Amino acid sequence: MSAVALIRSLVRRFCPPASARPAAVASALNCAALLVGLAAPAAHAQGPADGPAPPKAPARVLQPLSLDTIAAALQRPVGLAMPSPRTSGALQLQGKRFYIAEYQLLVEVGSEQPAAPEAALALGRPVDSPALQLALRAHPDLAALQALTDRAWADLQARLAAAGVQPEAAATLLGQGRAVYEADAPASTAAAPVIVSARSGDTLRRYLVLAPSGMGIVPRVPGGLNPGNLAARLAFAAQGIEGLSLAIAVNLGGLDGGMARRSGFAGSAPALSPLMEVVPAPQAALVLAHGQLALVNLAEALVLAPEFGRLVPAEAEAGRAPADALAALLALGRKLGVAPGDPPRLDTLLELDGPATARALLYGAAAANQAIADALKAAR
Protein backbone atom coordinates (compact mmCIF):
# COMPACT_ATOMS: atom_id res chain seq x y z
CA MET A 1 0.00 0.00 0.00
CA SER A 2 1.35 3.40 -0.98
CA ALA A 3 1.85 6.18 1.62
CA VAL A 4 -1.04 8.17 0.10
CA ALA A 5 -3.39 5.19 0.24
CA LEU A 6 -2.34 4.46 3.83
CA ILE A 7 -3.11 8.02 4.92
CA ARG A 8 -6.50 7.98 3.18
CA SER A 9 -7.36 4.71 4.94
CA LEU A 10 -6.37 6.14 8.34
CA VAL A 11 -8.38 9.32 7.75
CA ARG A 12 -11.52 7.35 6.86
CA ARG A 13 -11.09 5.10 9.90
CA PHE A 14 -10.15 7.56 12.66
CA CYS A 15 -11.30 11.04 11.60
CA PRO A 16 -14.90 12.28 11.89
CA PRO A 17 -16.69 12.99 8.61
CA ALA A 18 -16.79 16.67 7.66
CA SER A 19 -20.27 18.16 7.44
CA ALA A 20 -21.15 21.55 6.06
CA ARG A 21 -20.53 23.19 9.45
CA PRO A 22 -17.21 25.06 9.67
CA ALA A 23 -16.36 23.52 13.05
CA ALA A 24 -16.76 19.99 11.67
CA VAL A 25 -14.63 20.82 8.66
CA ALA A 26 -11.89 22.18 10.92
CA SER A 27 -12.04 19.09 13.13
CA ALA A 28 -11.67 16.76 10.16
CA LEU A 29 -8.79 18.79 8.75
CA ASN A 30 -6.99 18.83 12.10
CA CYS A 31 -7.33 15.08 12.43
CA ALA A 32 -6.06 14.52 8.91
CA ALA A 33 -3.13 16.84 9.49
CA LEU A 34 -2.20 14.95 12.66
CA LEU A 35 -2.22 11.62 10.84
CA VAL A 36 -0.19 13.01 7.98
CA GLY A 37 2.31 14.31 10.50
CA LEU A 38 2.59 10.87 12.12
CA ALA A 39 3.21 9.28 8.73
CA ALA A 40 5.57 12.01 7.56
CA PRO A 41 8.83 10.54 8.89
CA ALA A 42 8.43 7.46 6.70
CA ALA A 43 7.54 9.51 3.66
CA HIS A 44 10.38 12.01 4.13
CA ALA A 45 13.22 9.85 5.40
CA GLN A 46 15.36 10.80 2.41
CA GLY A 47 18.32 12.39 4.28
CA PRO A 48 20.17 15.20 2.52
CA ALA A 49 17.61 15.45 -0.29
CA ASP A 50 15.28 17.28 2.09
CA GLY A 51 17.67 20.20 2.42
CA PRO A 52 20.21 21.26 5.05
CA ALA A 53 19.68 20.46 8.72
CA PRO A 54 18.21 23.27 10.80
CA PRO A 55 20.83 25.44 12.50
CA LYS A 56 21.76 24.57 16.08
CA ALA A 57 20.35 26.75 18.82
CA PRO A 58 22.92 29.23 20.14
CA ALA A 59 24.65 28.35 23.40
CA ARG A 60 22.86 29.69 26.44
CA VAL A 61 24.45 32.87 27.76
CA LEU A 62 25.38 32.50 31.43
CA GLN A 63 25.31 35.30 33.95
CA PRO A 64 28.29 34.59 36.25
CA LEU A 65 27.53 34.09 39.92
CA SER A 66 27.87 37.45 41.66
CA LEU A 67 26.02 39.67 44.11
CA ASP A 68 24.37 41.43 41.18
CA THR A 69 23.09 38.28 39.46
CA ILE A 70 21.65 36.77 42.66
CA ALA A 71 19.89 39.95 43.80
CA ALA A 72 16.46 38.78 42.61
CA ALA A 73 16.77 35.43 44.41
CA LEU A 74 17.73 37.20 47.63
CA GLN A 75 14.50 39.21 47.48
CA ARG A 76 12.24 36.17 47.55
CA PRO A 77 10.31 35.62 50.80
CA VAL A 78 11.78 33.28 53.40
CA GLY A 79 9.92 30.51 55.20
CA LEU A 80 7.54 29.56 52.36
CA ALA A 81 5.79 26.24 52.92
CA MET A 82 7.44 23.30 51.19
CA PRO A 83 7.94 19.54 51.63
CA SER A 84 11.12 18.35 53.29
CA PRO A 85 13.34 15.35 52.52
CA ARG A 86 13.13 12.23 54.68
CA THR A 87 15.37 12.06 57.73
CA SER A 88 16.59 9.38 60.14
CA GLY A 89 17.44 9.57 63.82
CA ALA A 90 15.85 11.51 66.68
CA LEU A 91 16.65 13.97 69.46
CA GLN A 92 15.23 14.45 72.93
CA LEU A 93 14.62 18.13 73.79
CA GLN A 94 11.60 17.83 76.07
CA GLY A 95 12.07 20.07 79.09
CA LYS A 96 15.38 21.36 77.74
CA ARG A 97 16.58 24.81 76.75
CA PHE A 98 18.87 24.83 73.77
CA TYR A 99 20.97 27.03 71.54
CA ILE A 100 22.34 26.71 68.00
CA ALA A 101 26.14 26.67 68.17
CA GLU A 102 26.75 26.61 64.42
CA TYR A 103 25.00 26.51 61.06
CA GLN A 104 27.22 25.26 58.25
CA LEU A 105 26.50 25.40 54.54
CA LEU A 106 28.99 23.27 52.61
CA VAL A 107 29.15 23.91 48.86
CA GLU A 108 31.11 21.59 46.58
CA VAL A 109 34.00 23.22 44.73
CA GLY A 110 35.76 20.14 43.38
CA SER A 111 35.41 16.40 42.90
CA GLU A 112 37.23 13.55 41.21
CA GLN A 113 36.76 9.88 40.45
CA PRO A 114 38.62 7.13 38.56
CA ALA A 115 37.18 6.34 35.13
CA ALA A 116 37.97 4.42 31.96
CA PRO A 117 37.82 5.95 28.46
CA GLU A 118 35.60 4.45 25.79
CA ALA A 119 37.07 3.97 22.32
CA ALA A 120 40.09 6.02 23.47
CA LEU A 121 37.82 9.01 24.15
CA ALA A 122 36.72 10.70 27.35
CA LEU A 123 34.73 13.92 27.55
CA GLY A 124 35.12 14.29 23.79
CA ARG A 125 38.92 14.28 23.98
CA PRO A 126 41.38 11.56 22.90
CA VAL A 127 42.98 9.64 25.77
CA ASP A 128 45.96 7.31 25.29
CA SER A 129 45.71 5.74 28.74
CA PRO A 130 43.50 2.81 29.81
CA ALA A 131 42.60 4.68 33.01
CA LEU A 132 42.21 8.30 34.01
CA GLN A 133 41.12 10.51 36.88
CA LEU A 134 37.97 12.45 36.06
CA ALA A 135 38.01 15.82 37.85
CA LEU A 136 35.53 18.67 38.15
CA ARG A 137 36.00 22.00 39.84
CA ALA A 138 33.95 25.13 40.36
CA HIS A 139 35.17 28.59 41.24
CA PRO A 140 32.15 30.32 42.77
CA ASP A 141 32.16 33.92 43.90
CA LEU A 142 32.58 33.73 47.67
CA ALA A 143 30.80 37.02 48.37
CA ALA A 144 27.73 35.70 46.54
CA LEU A 145 27.85 32.40 48.45
CA GLN A 146 28.11 34.30 51.73
CA ALA A 147 24.98 36.27 50.86
CA LEU A 148 23.18 33.02 50.01
CA THR A 149 24.32 31.49 53.30
CA ASP A 150 22.97 34.48 55.23
CA ARG A 151 19.68 34.14 53.35
CA ALA A 152 19.47 30.42 54.15
CA TRP A 153 20.07 31.22 57.83
CA ALA A 154 17.24 33.78 57.79
CA ASP A 155 15.00 31.17 56.17
CA LEU A 156 15.76 28.68 58.96
CA GLN A 157 14.90 31.23 61.63
CA ALA A 158 11.54 31.89 59.94
CA ARG A 159 10.79 28.16 59.80
CA LEU A 160 11.71 27.61 63.45
CA ALA A 161 9.42 30.46 64.47
CA ALA A 162 6.58 29.03 62.39
CA ALA A 163 7.10 25.64 64.08
CA GLY A 164 7.04 27.21 67.56
CA VAL A 165 10.68 26.28 68.16
CA GLN A 166 12.63 29.00 69.94
CA PRO A 167 16.37 28.50 70.48
CA GLU A 168 18.06 30.82 72.96
CA ALA A 169 21.34 32.69 72.71
CA ALA A 170 24.39 30.68 73.74
CA ALA A 171 25.59 33.46 76.05
CA THR A 172 22.25 33.41 77.89
CA LEU A 173 22.29 29.68 78.52
CA LEU A 174 25.96 29.15 79.21
CA GLY A 175 26.66 32.19 81.36
CA GLN A 176 30.14 31.67 82.75
CA GLY A 177 30.06 27.95 81.94
CA ARG A 178 31.78 26.15 79.11
CA ALA A 179 30.22 24.58 76.04
CA VAL A 180 30.72 20.95 75.09
CA TYR A 181 31.94 22.17 71.71
CA GLU A 182 33.06 25.75 71.20
CA ALA A 183 32.21 27.27 67.81
CA ASP A 184 35.38 29.34 67.82
CA ALA A 185 36.90 28.45 64.44
CA PRO A 186 36.37 30.81 61.50
CA ALA A 187 34.35 29.78 58.46
CA SER A 188 35.39 30.71 54.93
CA THR A 189 36.30 34.25 54.00
CA ALA A 190 37.57 35.61 50.69
CA ALA A 191 41.08 35.82 52.14
CA ALA A 192 41.00 32.46 53.95
CA PRO A 193 38.63 29.86 52.48
CA VAL A 194 38.02 26.72 54.55
CA ILE A 195 37.92 23.44 52.61
CA VAL A 196 36.96 19.97 53.84
CA SER A 197 37.33 16.78 51.83
CA ALA A 198 35.10 13.72 51.93
CA ARG A 199 35.48 10.39 50.16
CA SER A 200 32.58 8.09 49.30
CA GLY A 201 33.73 4.96 47.53
CA ASP A 202 36.04 6.10 44.73
CA THR A 203 34.64 9.64 44.63
CA LEU A 204 36.47 12.44 46.43
CA ARG A 205 34.63 15.73 46.95
CA ARG A 206 35.90 19.03 48.32
CA TYR A 207 33.54 21.48 50.00
CA LEU A 208 33.79 25.16 50.84
CA VAL A 209 32.61 25.63 54.44
CA LEU A 210 30.38 28.68 54.97
CA ALA A 211 28.56 30.04 58.03
CA PRO A 212 26.27 33.02 58.58
CA SER A 213 28.08 36.32 58.93
CA GLY A 214 29.51 36.69 62.44
CA MET A 215 29.07 32.99 63.34
CA GLY A 216 31.98 30.62 63.93
CA ILE A 217 32.12 26.88 63.41
CA VAL A 218 33.10 23.97 65.64
CA PRO A 219 36.57 22.66 64.71
CA ARG A 220 36.68 19.16 63.25
CA VAL A 221 39.33 16.48 63.33
CA PRO A 222 39.70 13.91 60.50
CA GLY A 223 37.12 11.61 62.11
CA GLY A 224 34.63 14.40 62.85
CA LEU A 225 34.22 16.06 66.25
CA ASN A 226 36.70 15.57 69.07
CA PRO A 227 35.46 14.11 72.41
CA GLY A 228 34.47 17.57 73.64
CA ASN A 229 34.42 18.96 77.15
CA LEU A 230 33.30 16.13 79.46
CA ALA A 231 32.58 18.43 82.42
CA ALA A 232 30.36 20.60 80.23
CA ARG A 233 28.52 17.54 78.95
CA LEU A 234 27.71 16.49 82.51
CA ALA A 235 26.60 20.06 83.32
CA PHE A 236 24.35 20.11 80.25
CA ALA A 237 22.58 16.96 81.45
CA ALA A 238 22.18 18.30 84.98
CA GLN A 239 20.92 21.74 83.93
CA GLY A 240 18.69 20.65 81.04
CA ILE A 241 20.74 22.48 78.42
CA GLU A 242 21.58 21.39 74.90
CA GLY A 243 23.74 22.80 72.11
CA LEU A 244 23.10 22.02 68.46
CA SER A 245 25.27 21.86 65.36
CA LEU A 246 23.43 22.16 62.03
CA ALA A 247 24.98 21.36 58.65
CA ILE A 248 23.81 21.16 55.02
CA ALA A 249 25.96 20.00 52.09
CA VAL A 250 25.28 20.85 48.44
CA ASN A 251 26.89 18.93 45.57
CA LEU A 252 27.27 20.71 42.24
CA GLY A 253 28.60 17.96 39.97
CA GLY A 254 27.62 14.42 39.11
CA LEU A 255 30.41 12.02 38.17
CA ASP A 256 29.83 8.55 36.77
CA GLY A 257 32.84 6.55 35.57
CA GLY A 258 30.53 3.90 34.13
CA MET A 259 28.49 6.31 31.95
CA ALA A 260 25.19 5.32 33.60
CA ARG A 261 23.96 8.91 33.14
CA ARG A 262 23.92 11.47 30.37
CA SER A 263 27.16 13.42 30.18
CA GLY A 264 27.54 17.17 30.01
CA PHE A 265 29.88 16.53 27.04
CA ALA A 266 28.06 15.19 23.98
CA GLY A 267 29.14 11.81 22.69
CA SER A 268 31.61 11.14 25.44
CA ALA A 269 32.28 8.62 28.15
CA PRO A 270 32.49 8.50 31.10
CA ALA A 271 29.63 10.72 32.20
CA LEU A 272 30.11 14.09 33.87
CA SER A 273 27.40 16.70 34.24
CA PRO A 274 26.21 19.60 36.39
CA LEU A 275 24.01 18.13 39.11
CA MET A 276 22.89 19.97 42.23
CA GLU A 277 21.78 17.88 45.18
CA VAL A 278 21.47 18.34 48.93
CA VAL A 279 23.24 15.48 50.72
CA PRO A 280 24.34 14.56 54.26
CA ALA A 281 27.22 16.82 55.29
CA PRO A 282 30.62 15.15 55.75
CA GLN A 283 31.97 15.02 59.32
CA ALA A 284 28.66 16.47 60.51
CA ALA A 285 24.90 15.89 60.56
CA LEU A 286 21.77 17.80 59.69
CA VAL A 287 21.23 18.20 63.46
CA LEU A 288 23.73 17.07 66.09
CA ALA A 289 23.01 17.44 69.83
CA HIS A 290 26.26 18.13 71.72
CA GLY A 291 25.25 16.83 75.12
CA GLN A 292 23.35 13.74 74.02
CA LEU A 293 25.57 13.00 71.01
CA ALA A 294 22.31 12.18 69.24
CA LEU A 295 21.70 13.23 65.66
CA VAL A 296 19.18 13.59 62.86
CA ASN A 297 20.47 13.23 59.32
CA LEU A 298 19.11 13.16 55.80
CA ALA A 299 17.92 9.71 54.77
CA GLU A 300 17.98 10.59 51.08
CA ALA A 301 19.62 13.01 48.69
CA LEU A 302 17.44 15.83 47.40
CA VAL A 303 18.21 16.15 43.68
CA LEU A 304 17.42 19.57 42.21
CA ALA A 305 16.47 19.41 38.53
CA PRO A 306 16.94 22.95 37.13
CA GLU A 307 19.90 23.67 34.86
CA PHE A 308 22.31 25.97 36.66
CA GLY A 309 25.62 25.76 34.81
CA ARG A 310 27.70 24.15 32.09
CA LEU A 311 30.95 22.24 31.88
CA VAL A 312 33.92 23.38 29.82
CA PRO A 313 37.41 21.89 29.43
CA ALA A 314 39.79 23.38 31.98
CA GLU A 315 42.85 23.60 29.70
CA ALA A 316 42.14 27.31 29.17
CA GLU A 317 43.30 27.96 32.73
CA ALA A 318 46.63 26.17 32.31
CA GLY A 319 49.59 28.39 33.12
CA ARG A 320 47.49 31.15 34.65
CA ALA A 321 48.14 32.43 38.15
CA PRO A 322 45.32 31.66 40.63
CA ALA A 323 42.73 34.43 40.62
CA ASP A 324 42.21 34.45 44.41
CA ALA A 325 42.79 32.52 47.62
CA LEU A 326 40.14 29.90 46.82
CA ALA A 327 41.65 29.15 43.40
CA ALA A 328 45.13 28.93 44.95
CA LEU A 329 43.94 26.54 47.66
CA LEU A 330 42.19 24.27 45.15
CA ALA A 331 45.25 24.29 42.88
CA LEU A 332 47.45 23.28 45.82
CA GLY A 333 45.03 20.47 46.69
CA ARG A 334 45.20 19.13 43.14
CA LYS A 335 49.01 19.14 43.17
CA LEU A 336 49.27 17.45 46.57
CA GLY A 337 46.80 14.78 45.48
CA VAL A 338 48.92 13.59 42.53
CA ALA A 339 51.56 10.91 43.03
CA PRO A 340 54.04 9.39 40.53
CA GLY A 341 52.36 6.68 38.47
CA ASP A 342 48.84 8.04 38.96
CA PRO A 343 46.58 7.95 35.88
CA PRO A 344 46.31 11.21 33.93
CA ARG A 345 43.76 13.77 35.09
CA LEU A 346 41.01 15.11 32.87
CA ASP A 347 40.03 18.48 34.36
CA THR A 348 36.75 20.27 33.69
CA LEU A 349 35.46 23.59 34.93
CA LEU A 350 31.86 24.11 36.04
CA GLU A 351 30.68 27.58 35.01
CA LEU A 352 27.77 28.68 37.20
CA ASP A 353 24.80 30.76 36.10
CA GLY A 354 24.14 33.22 38.92
CA PRO A 355 20.33 33.47 38.90
CA ALA A 356 19.75 29.74 38.36
CA THR A 357 22.37 28.68 40.90
CA ALA A 358 20.96 31.01 43.54
CA ARG A 359 17.36 29.86 43.04
CA ALA A 360 18.26 26.16 43.17
CA LEU A 361 20.65 26.48 46.10
CA LEU A 362 18.18 28.49 48.20
CA TYR A 363 15.41 26.01 47.39
CA GLY A 364 17.58 23.08 48.48
CA ALA A 365 18.67 24.87 51.65
CA ALA A 366 15.05 25.76 52.44
CA ALA A 367 14.00 22.11 52.10
CA ALA A 368 16.79 21.06 54.46
CA ASN A 369 15.83 23.87 56.82
CA GLN A 370 12.27 22.55 56.89
CA ALA A 371 13.61 19.11 57.80
CA ILE A 372 15.59 20.74 60.66
CA ALA A 373 12.49 22.59 61.90
CA ASP A 374 10.41 19.39 61.73
CA ALA A 375 13.04 17.43 63.67
CA LEU A 376 13.32 20.04 66.42
CA LYS A 377 9.55 20.36 66.73
CA ALA A 378 9.22 16.59 67.05
CA ALA A 379 11.97 16.57 69.70
CA ARG A 380 10.03 19.05 71.87
Side-chain angles (χ1 to χ4, degrees):
M1 180 181 294
S2 68
V4 174
L6 174 62
I7 292 172
R8 286 176 176 171
S9 174
L10 291 172
V11 169
R12 286 195 299 269
R13 182 174 181 183
F14 294 106
C15 296
S19 65
R21 293 180 300 168
V25 173
S27 176
L29 290 176
N30 288 339
C31 179
L34 175 62
L35 291 174
V36 170
L38 292 174
H44 292 283
Q46 304 297 328
D50 290 331
K56 293 183 178 180
R60 186 164 63 96
V61 177
L62 298 185
Q63 302 179 58
L65 184 70
S66 69
L67 289 174
D68 290 336
T69 60
I70 69 171
L74 295 177
Q75 297 303 315
R76 294 174 61 87
V78 296
L80 297 177
M82 66 167 52
S84 61
R86 292 185 300 112
T87 59
S88 61
L91 308 173
Q92 177 55 260
L93 295 178
Q94 290 182 350
K96 293 181 180 291
R97 302 164 67 191
F98 68 95
Y99 67 97
I100 295 176
E102 62 174 346
Y103 177 84
Q104 291 190 21
L105 181 62
L106 289 79
V107 179
E108 182 188 6
V109 289
S111 53
E112 52 189 78
Q113 182 188 60
E118 184 177 277
L121 289 175
L123 306 186
R125 287 171 277 180
V127 177
D128 59 1
S129 172
L132 56 91
Q133 193 76 1
L134 197 62
L136 173 150
R137 68 178 183 270
H139 187 190
D141 180 81
L142 206 145
L145 289 184
Q146 184 62 60
L148 294 172
T149 303
D150 292 340
R151 192 66 174 177
W153 173 241
D155 177 83
L156 174 65
Q157 292 174 309
R159 294 181 188 280
L160 292 178
V165 176
Q166 297 181 346
E168 299 184 44
T172 302
L173 288 184
L174 298 179
Q176 300 300 317
R178 296 291 303 277
V180 178
Y181 298 109
E182 299 284 353
D184 53 6
S188 293
T189 64
V194 178
I195 303 290
V196 298
S197 299
R199 184 177 293 277
S200 177
D202 290 332
T203 301
L204 174 68
R205 296 186 187 270
R206 296 182 177 91
Y207 296 91
L208 184 69
V209 182
L210 298 127
S213 297
M215 180 182 288
I217 59 175
V218 175
R220 260 67 174 182
V221 295
L225 291 172
N226 59 43
N229 187 311
L230 179 58
R233 180 169 285 117
L234 295 174
F236 273 30
Q239 299 170 18
I241 294 175
E242 189 58 275
L244 302 178
S245 285
L246 313 177
I248 302 168
V250 180
N251 290 345
L252 298 181
L255 298 92
D256 188 350
M259 200 181 175
R261 297 178 298 100
R262 180 182 177 183
S263 176
F265 292 88
S268 62
L272 177 64
S273 59
L275 178 69
M276 189 180 296
E277 56 182 352
V278 178
V279 297
Q283 302 179 9
L286 187 68
V287 185
L288 172 66
H290 295 176
Q292 305 168 52
L293 287 179
L295 59 85
V296 171
N297 218 345
L298 292 175
E300 59 186 359
L302 175 62
V303 179
L304 305 170
E307 294 184 7
F308 64 95
R310 66 180 171 215
L311 292 170
V312 297
E315 284 85 350
E317 289 194 335
R320 295 182 184 177
D324 54 24
L326 175 58
L329 187 60
L330 292 176
L332 178 62
R334 290 193 297 273
K335 290 180 180 179
L336 294 177
V338 177
D342 282 354
R345 291 172 59 92
L346 211 54
D347 284 313
T348 58
L349 185 66
L350 175 58
E351 296 181 336
L352 299 173
D353 179 75
T357 300
R359 288 192 299 268
L361 193 150
L362 288 179
Y363 181 92
N369 285 341
Q370 187 61 54
I372 292 172
D374 292 345
L376 297 185
K377 182 178 181 179
R380 302 292 285 173

